[in-house]
Amino acid sequence: MKLTESENNLFCNLYHPLLLFINQQRRIIADVFTVDGLRNKSSEDLKSLRTILFHQPSLFDQFIVTNPFQFLPHELEIINSWKKWLVGRFFVFRETNYYTVFLSNVRPIRAYGVLPLNAQFSKIFPDPLPVYIETALLPFKDKIITDGIFSRFRLEFGRGFIRNLQKSYLEAIDNEGIITCL
């Protein structure tokens, strides 16, 4: 399962202007002046903008108050909900028919049901699961999605580690179930 094309477009039409606004405020990427220009940048460039936003969440409020792209109230509500995001490292653990399970890497271990933007995670990460990544999980219309910016850590997991991860997954399910809304 993944976002519909219209949901994916809505997310991109909100998230990229937010990142452009961050760039305009902090001048991180010198040669970017438009959303289209931003979309052509590397994931490392986009990650640097996301990092600034994560460390300075007041920029969300500044963006919403100034509303430089004239978003509608319901669109600003979506952006405002992103203040509940989680940025960190996760194990992409298992795909189901409904979502992909991401496990947090800190205690208490939590299992998140995450939807990809426009491609199944198995296409993004063709290696067998689990895969260890850094990304942002965001609320989006009563779902959890990623922002599409990933840093992948090339690690091979032994059977013992995978058994421990399976045990952590089962504990997370017992404690809170699979979290599908932030």
Side-chain angles (χ1 to χ4, degrees):
M1 186 173 216
K2 61 183 183 178
L3 292 184
T4 66
E5 186 176 341
S6 65
E7 289 173 325
N8 183 58
N9 289 338
L10 175 61
F11 171 75
C12 291
N13 289 337
L14 299 176
Y15 194 63
H16 290 124
L18 175 62
L19 292 180
L20 180 63
F21 175 79
I22 302 309
N23 192 56
Q24 291 168 341
Q25 297 301 306
R26 298 296 184 261
R27 296 184 178 98
I28 302 301
I29 308 169
D31 59 341
V32 172
F33 306 101
T34 65
V35 170
D36 286 336
L38 184 69
R39 287 184 177 142
N40 295 325
K41 290 300 177 183
S42 73
S43 61
E44 283 304 309
D45 286 334
L46 299 179
K47 183 180 172 186
S48 65
L49 297 172
R50 177 183 72 197
T51 299
I52 289 169
L53 185 58
F54 179 70
H55 290 294
Q56 298 176 17
S58 63
L59 290 168
F60 278 112
D61 296 325
Q62 191 177 352
F63 181 82
I64 290 167
V65 167
T66 60
N67 195 9
F69 293 88
Q70 303 301 305
F71 288 129
L72 298 172
H74 75 276
E75 294 168 326
L76 292 174
E77 285 178 28
I78 292 170
I79 294 167
N80 191 51
S81 75
W82 294 342
K83 290 192 270 185
K84 296 178 185 172
W85 69 349
L86 300 172
V87 177
R89 294 179 180 184
F90 301 90
F91 293 96
V92 181
F93 183 67
R94 149 178 309 163
E95 286 192 311
T96 74
N97 291 335
Y98 305 103
Y99 41 70
T100 300
V101 177
F102 282 38
L103 294 178
S104 62
N105 73 335
V106 295
R107 295 251 173 233
I109 302 296
R110 290 189 165 98
Y112 298 95
V114 181
L115 296 179
L117 296 177
N118 54 14
Q120 293 298 99
F121 289 115
S122 58
K123 304 256 190 272
I124 298 168
F125 309 113
D127 297 333
L129 299 180
V131 175
Y132 191 50
I133 65 167
E134 182 176 78
T135 193
L137 303 184
L138 298 100
F140 185 77
K141 295 181 147 193
D142 297 326
K143 300 173 184 123
I144 300 174
I145 63 170
T146 69
D147 67 351
I149 304 168
F150 303 101
S151 294
R152 178 158 187 243
F153 302 94
R154 301 257 179 216
L155 302 172
E156 291 186 30
F157 303 111
R159 283 188 244 203
F161 184 84
I162 292 174
R163 251 190 321 271
N164 286 339
L165 208 55
Q166 176 69 24
K167 183 180 172 188
S168 294
Y169 167 71
L170 293 174
E171 287 174 13
I173 298 299
D174 284 345
N175 292 336
E176 298 181 82
I178 295 177
I179 300 165
T180 58
C181 190
L182 296 176

